[in-house]
Amino acid sequence: MKELKKLISRSDELTRRMFATRAAQAMMGVGIGSIMTRQALAADPRIQARIQAAESGDNTASTGGSGQTAKSVIYFYMSGGMSHLDTFDTKPGAETQGATKTIKTAADGVTISEYFPKLAKQMNNVALVRSITSTQGAHEEGNYLMHTSYNPRGTIKHPCLGSWAVKMKGKMNEALPGFVLVGGGGRTVTSGFFENKFGPAPVGNPGTGLRNSNLAFSEGEFNDRLKLADSFDRAFRSKYRQKQVESYTDLYKEAIDLLKGEDIKAFNIREEKESVFQSYGNNYIGQASILARRLVEKGVRFIEIDYGGWDNHDNIFGGIGQRCNQLDQAMGALIEDLSSRGLLSSTLIVVGTEFGRTPRINERRGRDHHPAAFSGLLAGAGIKGGQFYGKTDERGDRVAENPIKIPDFNATIATAMGLNINQVIYSPSKRPFQVANRDGKPIQELLNV
Amino acid sequence: MNPVSAIADGKWLRLGAVLFVALPLFAASVSAAPNDESTGKKGIDSVSYEEIKAKARDIDSILQKAWQANGVSSNGRIGHDTFLRRTYLKLGGRIPSVEETIEFLKRPNRAGLIDSLLESDAFVSAQFNFWADLLRIRNDQEGLGLPYIEFVKDSIRKNKPYNQFVKEMLLASGYTWENGAAGYYMRDYQMPLDNMSNTMQVFLGTRMQCAQCHDHPFDKWTQMDYYQLAAYTYGVETRLDANQQPKGFADAYKQSEGNRELRDQIRDSFGDMDRGVAVNNTDIKLPFDYKYDDGKPHQAVKPRVIYGEDIVLEKDTGENRVKALANWVTSDKNERFALVYANRLWKQAFGMGLIEPVDDMTDETQAVIPELMTYLSKMMVELKYDTRQFLRVLYNTSAYQSQVNRKDIEPGEPYYFTGPVLKRMNAEQFWDSLVTLTIPEPDARKAWFGGEQARVNAFRQYKNKSAGEIIAAAKKGQGMMMMGGNGGNDPQGNDPRWRGYGEHLRRASELQSPANLGSFLRQFGQSDRDVIDNSVDDPNVSQVLEMFNGRMFEEVTSPDSLLSKNMSKYSRDRVKVLFLSILNREPSSEELRFTAKILAGRSEKSGYSAVIWALLNTRQFSFVE
């Protein structure tokens, strides 16, 4: 016991205070020695085959289904709390429905709101989850729980799903970040107690790509400047032959390589044809989806797209249609595009949100926070499409059938990715955690792995 | 001779070292924080230099004994330029300006610089960053972060004794906008158990959080210990119900009973009035799954401290419990209290604690030089928890004024502080140094949060209103309107010193805490202020990209930047200005040759821009030597 304690407290100290600060890797995730791999990958048309080869050594859980697990995930996060009644769980004829109408989809018996005509056509690839229930009715807490499977605590910061994915499965393309966050995201989308390198590389605006990745001057000029910096610094560097000093030197090499390399172009959606923008929609969510597809092609593990504007306390029917339509166009195009490129069978698409909205329409024609019942969406790799799971009552108020909790939803995503939900990872403070909390159970009916 | 014209005349280079003597106008531009008479704040010389120096010598002799015993020796004394830069970065949180550099190198008085930095606004800024990381201070925390931020800065500015500072937080009640110290409990809004764990970790270097759910697996604490300790502050409420709010609000809610619409209107306008600290007499109960023999689930637990003498409460009330805990934590007899702070301040000066990690102590914990740790703990008490005097001693040691370690300190290998430890600048030092290159008098440019100030003003205004006035305002949606407004004008908004410089060009301590994700500060490892002591200095590629291409580089090289202005001011000695500004030292003759080569055959703009770029992209710039 004492030995164990010593060992753990020592390794804690080492990992947290020393190794972590010295590891020459980070959220951009360009690892030392990755230059060759990166260039090889970029030049190699068989990149997918290589990714698959890397994957086959994966020693993670499988529940024995026929489909393959997801290599990449594109997670659409609807921040603000997306109304279930006006999207994936309509209640035609109910007094709580308001102005939103219901349409049929390509899948028998599955309906959806009128704002999702394109998704309706893809419904055979899509499963709707209509029975998520939670007790977190505040944005931040709900958002945190949805991303991490844990309630927020004052003494620990939990990693979000994307960080778990990279931590447990590693990266597929060493030259690019394993986890990219598009748009906002804020304080819940972080690597938590994992090292920084498992955190998201943020892309604020999908139209402009990765921060500071366009060199402001010519390559010749760049080389001159580097040479000058090097000559100023030679004495210092030879005086202090220390890991952290040297790792910066290495990172300069990596950064130069990244800037001059090919894969960085994945972040530049302007390389796409005009017709692509027309099909996805040339707006934020359309551009973000195009970027996500480009990153999936290059082997990025997890892309989260933050899409706000769902906190419709006022006049919900005034704006939700347009918001949904843009999402519908982007997702419809994305599924079609991935499918035609043969990537849908290895890419999982998720729609999640922190809570639903009240069936009762308030005095301001809006809907308020409603964690008791809400919806999500799963599509693509690892998922049996063409169905819905769970039911709410006729008002859309409470879950009537097959209730699931947020950790169950996340356990389903994790299982579709082939993550072992029983694997325990210890925080530096020596506390045990699991990707879908201790009790998250995957929804077997939805899984095809 | 007028020194400015001497420079303008280009005599600087020719005069060489003589020039430094001829620069009386560069009086220390580190401005002293205003003296606050009402608090009886004493100047730095309230303790004599001889007394400080004697203590510094004690420390050096303890160290020397340890070095002899372990067969190591001092890393060697540093030169004035290294001392200057290091001390500015550590005590002031930024590099010195070119004028501060020249001033010091002209007449290098090390003890004098330590004293003036300790009394400067720059020191308040640097110490605030340290506390913001430890206390996880956020602008967006419940009950408003701004007054808490002001409380911490003010406590540093007044050099409040550390034990008093901690006590004020542990004893705080009311709203943050009446008592900023209440931010301490508000930061753990509705999480009293977590708050207890944090108190133990920050002030006593003791980790209790595991014992919240079960006996601590790696320390001696039981779950019962945890609950007994948490019982002291369990009565601290961070959400006030209607009758704990000011009378007007209590009455207004009473009048709205049965009128749901009105109640919602009051809540919409003034709902935040329930964010405040009050102490009641609630007993803590064991959790439903309590599984040990010494108690039953749901059983109420009485307070008891986890070490030291038992405390007898004269009258067992919630308030007396909180007082008892505050006294116990901050007592001279609580050996971990002074020790933890002494070790943290040692780490500020030397880059590494005598005990590492600094906040995970157990009975078996031993400092690398136990005698020194004991000496420092005693010195903390002897100096009456005076942060500035304590640091003054450390910075006057010859150990501090020695070179940093040449080689890595391998994990698990003891380091006997033959000099401080080489570290990368932390995120705030990095940012603040770039700000120093960009705007004049960076320490004087203060934070301004108009929206938050408006909320503070609105709360203060409505606190004493009657129910009638509150209801009338709520019906008009007034509270909300006012709170969404702006708190008047930035008092420094028209200050000519910073005219034309962007709002973001302020020191990190004067910007939102924490900075936004993806910002410069966060990329360089500023804490997210969610977990204690969470800042990191991990290298990563996005930092390098920021230094290659980032907006801050544009700011530093823009024609309006202080650096550019200084270059035209001292136009004959631009290269020297660049070295003195960025690396705070003179260029070597070899470096002058490299520079001349780059400048030849280029336009002026492109040439100097390349030199600045190169200087900023050296390890010398980013490390604190």
Side-chain angles (χ1 to χ4, degrees), chain A residues 9-27:
Chain A
S9 91
R10 190 177 137 89
S11 75
D12 167 29
E13 197 176 322
L14 300 190
T15 44
R16 180 157 165 229
R17 313 268 173 173
M18 310 291 266
F19 288 161
T21 55
R22 288 172 179 173
Q25 287 182 324
M27 68 185 189

Side-chain angles (χ1 to χ4, degrees), chain B residues 294-394:
Chain B
D294 54 355
K296 294 206 164 57
H298 306 297
Q299 175 194 321
V301 174
K302 290 287 169 198
R304 190 174 176 200
V305 289
I306 53 167
Y307 60 79
E309 278 171 41
D310 276 344
I311 300 170
V312 183
L313 291 173
E314 246 171 58
K315 191 161 169 254
D316 189 8
T317 64
E319 280 192 19
N320 282 342
R321 288 178 177 186
V322 175
K323 273 185 202 154
L325 182 89
N327 287 333
W328 175 76
V329 168
T330 59
S331 163
D332 291 350
K333 287 188 203 145
N334 188 336
E335 67 238 11
R336 283 192 188 174
F337 181 65
L339 180 145
V340 164
Y341 191 48
N343 191 43
R344 287 191 193 279
L345 293 185
W346 177 270
K347 185 171 185 167
Q348 280 189 11
F350 285 87
M352 187 187 240
L354 284 156
I355 295 172
E356 283 283 348
V358 295
D359 56 6
D360 194 5
M361 304 198 184
T362 68
D363 288 349
E364 286 124 64
T365 300
Q366 267 226 335
V368 63
I369 307 169
E371 196 190 345
L372 182 55
M373 193 69 253
T374 308
Y375 183 88
L376 294 176
S377 301
K378 276 196 194 136
M379 184 172 100
M380 179 62 76
V381 178
E382 228 176 275
L383 289 172
K384 301 196 173 64
Y385 301 91
D386 184 323
T387 304
R388 288 187 189 165
Q389 299 296 350
F390 188 92
L391 289 171
R392 196 174 168 214
V393 173
L394 301 188

Side-chain angles (χ1 to χ4, degrees), chain B residues 538-582:
Chain B
D538 296 23
N540 68 49
V541 168
S542 54
Q543 294 164 2
V544 177
L545 294 180
E546 188 77 46
M547 294 308 284
F548 278 178
N549 284 318
R551 178 171 171 197
M552 214 39 210
F553 181 76
E554 273 173 49
E555 305 269 14
V556 172
T557 49
S558 97
D560 295 326
S561 78
L562 182 69
L563 186 64
S564 302
K565 286 182 177 165
N566 280 337
M567 281 186 12
S568 30
K569 196 161 144 194
Y570 311 131
S571 57
R572 307 255 181 115
D573 282 309
R574 292 185 195 181
V575 174
K576 211 165 172 181
V577 167
L578 291 182
F579 273 80
L580 287 167
S581 300
I582 298 172

Side-chain angles (χ1 to χ4, degrees), chain B residues 12-37:
Chain B
W12 187 358
L13 267 182
R14 276 170 276 139
L15 290 173
V18 179
L19 175 97
F20 288 126
V21 184
L23 280 170
L25 86 161
F26 298 134
S29 55
V30 186
S31 56
N35 247 322
D36 194 314
E37 313 246 314

Side-chain angles (χ1 to χ4, degrees), chain A residues 1 26 153-154 233 242 248 252, chain B residues 194 217 405 540 543 617 619:
Chain A
M1 177 69 193
R153 307 295 328 168
D233 222 17
Q242 300 191 14
Y248 270 100
Y252 270 82
Chain B
D194 296 44
N405 55 314
N540 68 49
Q543 294 164 2
N617 277 284
R619 297 324 91 75

Side-chain angles (χ1 to χ4, degrees), chain B residues 51-241:
Chain B
E51 213 173 310
I52 294 296
K53 197 64 202 167
K55 288 183 161 56
R57 272 194 298 266
D58 286 347
I59 291 171
D60 281 323
S61 73
I62 296 172
L63 280 170
Q64 269 186 353
K65 252 194 276 165
W67 297 344
Q68 268 165 20
N70 293 287
V72 293
S73 56
S74 165
N75 297 349
R77 189 174 161 84
I78 42 173
H80 293 314
D81 46 8
T82 307
F83 173 85
L84 169 76
R85 192 171 200 268
R86 178 192 293 177
T87 308
Y88 257 92
L89 279 163
K90 285 178 186 261
L91 283 179
R94 59 170 175 84
I95 56 171
S97 69
V98 69
E99 287 159 2
E100 288 161 339
T101 303
I102 293 170
E103 163 69 18
F104 180 80
L105 295 181
K106 176 187 70 177
R107 213 176 287 127
N109 172 354
R110 295 191 182 193
L113 182 72
I114 293 168
D115 286 358
S116 69
L117 278 170
L118 282 168
E119 292 199 292
S120 69
D121 280 354
F123 176 75
V124 178
S125 173
Q127 290 291 313
F128 174 77
N129 295 333
F130 166 78
W131 279 111
D133 192 0
L134 275 181
L135 299 174
R136 303 167 297 130
I137 303 175
R138 298 183 65 102
N139 275 85
D140 66 359
Q141 71 180 54
E142 293 290 346
L144 286 176
L146 183 58
Y148 186 30
I149 290 171
E150 283 170 356
F151 162 79
V152 173
K153 284 181 184 166
D154 193 52
S155 301
I156 300 165
R157 197 174 294 122
K158 290 177 178 156
N159 196 29
K160 197 176 279 171
Y162 172 67
N163 53 353
Q164 184 192 334
F165 171 60
V166 176
K167 228 172 177 174
E168 284 178 16
M169 289 190 282
L170 294 177
L171 292 175
S173 64
Y175 293 110
T176 55
W177 36 272
E178 295 175 311
N179 174 11
Y184 181 74
Y185 286 115
M186 292 311 300
R187 178 64 186 83
D188 294 313
Y189 178 69
Q190 299 253 287
M191 293 199 263
L193 295 180
D194 296 44
N195 180 266
M196 169 54 70
S197 304
N198 290 332
T199 297
M200 293 302 292
Q201 186 177 339
V202 172
F203 305 122
L204 300 179
T206 302
R207 301 281 184 104
M208 295 286 292
Q209 48 266 46
C210 290
Q212 185 173 333
C213 304
H214 46 71
D215 289 355
H216 200 301
F218 312 115
D219 204 344
K220 62 182 178 180
W221 314 119
T222 65
Q223 195 175 5
M224 183 59 90
D225 288 333
Y226 186 93
Y227 273 79
Q228 288 174 333
L229 191 62
Y232 282 105
T233 52
Y234 197 70
V236 176
E237 213 33 85
T238 47
R239 185 157 74 190
L240 309 178
D241 53 42

